[in-house]
Amino acid sequence: MALDYPITDTLAAFDAWLEPTHGAATRRLYRQILGRFVTWLQATHPDSPATVANLSSRDGARYREWLRAQQPTKKPATINTALAALDTWGGWTVVAGLRADNPFTTLGRVRDVDTERAPKALSPTQQDALLKAAGHGRHAARATGIVSLLLHTGLRVAELCALTWGDLVVGERSGQLRVRAGKGGVARTVPLNIEVRRDLWRWAVAQTALADDEAPDARLWWTAAHAQTLMGWIQQESMRPVIGSQKGGPLRPRAVQTVITTVAYHAKITEPLVTPHVLRHTYATQLVTNGAPLTVVATLLGHQRLSTTAIYTKPSSQELARWTDTLALD
């Protein structure tokens, strides 16, 4: 087992290993993080080469504390992303046979007051306003499809962009979608409720001739016949992106964010700042509020650790503020 590779010499192979399960932006970020880590190692240990074999768990812990001490202060999420990159790379060294152990597997994440609160989510009233605004825009069917999918399935934006019609099973009374390669390469199946099935049908109708022989109002109904028609079309267009660009390819995450930002503006939602991930948080928050077990929520979100899902059981900033406001009424 060769254990003396310089860390920088492993980055190309590590990137290739990540490619099937991680997007280009994530891989680029991980390379940058590892490059900064090597620079730190060389500065703090000038007499010790930055090689795979020389790393220890203490290096990870010391780097974490160095990151926490930086000015201006780095957000916990930024530091934790760096730690996750190191942990992922450390796991790869074991898979690649460069080490017998991952030196960063026990590296604890950073927490502060904010991370002890549930992520911000939209209220039911805000969700209704968002969907209503999506339905009145220039590209109403597409915008509604995007908002509905994110709100009712909790997909990550990259998962939405990678979704093809062949990943869907859509019936009159039930449906599901298959996330083929979620974060960390984890596949999962997510049910499709009646709202999102109907919105997907309307989006399909808006861009095809599926129901051109029906009256305008009837085209937008959702019946068993429509479900059968949609599934027949899906079998023929299985590789077609569910949310495609004007050129026919998959929509990029930045374009999805633009759609969400525009719809939120017209819905007059200023707090919280509406992003695709806030819609994912909203989906998770509703599941927990309605009594779903954490194991179910974790499975639907594609979380590999229950500790990640447990954050949704914490009080949100809005809840804390609401209860504090009640004190002024006494």
Side-chain angles (χ1 to χ4, degrees):
M1 183 182 293
L3 299 177
D4 56 351
Y5 280 92
I7 295 174
T8 52
D9 287 358
T10 69
L11 298 187
F14 174 57
D15 183 77
W17 180 73
L18 287 177
E19 187 172 2
T21 58
H22 292 69
T26 300
R27 301 201 314 273
R28 183 167 57 252
L29 177 61
Y30 278 21
R31 290 195 303 271
Q32 292 171 350
I33 288 171
L34 285 163
R36 295 183 192 123
F37 176 64
V38 170
T39 299
W40 173 83
L41 277 176
Q42 293 171 336
T44 55
H45 306 291
D47 298 328
S48 179
T51 65
V52 176
N54 285 339
L55 289 175
S56 69
S57 59
R58 289 184 179 182
D59 292 320
R62 288 170 179 166
Y63 186 58
R64 179 187 59 202
E65 298 312 309
W66 180 80
L67 288 173
R68 295 183 68 177
Q70 295 304 293
Q71 294 296 331
T73 304
K74 295 182 180 296
K75 293 181 179 180
T78 301
I79 297 175
N80 288 336
T81 297
L83 302 181
L86 294 180
D87 188 17
T88 302
W89 175 82
W92 168 79
T93 64
V94 177
V95 173
L98 302 182
R99 285 184 64 106
D101 66 311
N102 176 359
F104 306 121
T105 191
T106 59
L107 191 56
R109 301 302 190 254
V110 173
R111 289 188 178 275
D112 71 353
V113 175
D114 288 337
T115 60
E116 291 299 329
R117 298 177 188 170
K120 293 181 179 180
L122 300 183
S123 69
T125 301
Q126 288 176 319
Q127 295 173 51
D128 291 342
L130 197 69
L131 285 166
K132 184 177 180 180
H136 286 85
R138 181 180 177 185
H139 303 288
R142 187 181 74 157
T144 301
I146 290 173
V147 172
S148 185
L149 272 168
L150 292 173
L151 266 180
H152 296 302
T153 67
L155 292 180
R156 299 178 178 93
V157 65
E159 294 168 346
L160 172 70
C161 293
L163 200 65
T164 66
W165 284 100
D167 295 324
L168 307 181
V169 175
V170 185
E172 180 193 11
R173 298 182 181 275
S174 65
Q176 63 184 32
L177 64 80
R178 179 72 171 169
V179 178
R180 287 170 282 116
K183 190 174 182 179
V186 178
R188 69 184 189 279
T189 299
V190 182
L192 297 173
N193 64 24
I194 180 62
E195 286 84 1
V196 73
R197 296 200 307 276
R198 183 178 59 239
D199 291 336
L200 284 169
W201 163 251
R202 291 175 175 176
W203 168 228
V205 165
Q207 58 180 326
T208 68
L210 275 179
D212 281 357
D213 58 338
E214 298 187 32
D217 289 343
R219 293 180 67 202
L220 301 182
W221 294 347
W222 180 241
T223 66
H226 290 140
Q228 185 175 6
T229 298
L230 181 58
M231 282 306 303
W233 177 78
I234 285 175
Q235 291 176 3
Q236 300 176 19
E237 301 286 343
S238 61
M239 299 306 297
R240 182 171 176 163
V242 173
I243 308 296
S245 67
Q246 293 182 348
K247 295 182 179 180
L251 205 62
R252 294 182 179 274
R254 185 173 295 180
V256 174
Q257 176 60 71
T258 299
V259 171
I260 298 299
T261 299
T262 302
V263 172
Y265 171 79
H266 289 293
K268 299 181 179 180
I269 301 174
T270 57
E271 179 59 34
L273 178 66
V274 185
T275 67
H277 219 63
V278 165
L279 302 190
R280 174 174 164 84
H281 291 325
T282 301
Y283 172 75
T285 299
Q286 288 190 126
L287 288 171
V288 172
T289 301
N290 290 331
L294 281 186
T295 50
V296 170
V297 181
T299 300
L300 290 172
L301 293 177
H303 286 165
Q304 298 183 53
R305 299 178 181 177
L306 278 179
S307 58
T308 305
T309 315
I311 192 66
Y312 294 104
T313 65
K314 306 287 184 179
S316 66
S317 298
Q318 298 100 309
E319 289 175 311
L320 293 175
R322 184 166 63 249
W323 283 105
T324 300
D325 288 343
T326 64
L327 298 178
L329 301 177
D330 293 338

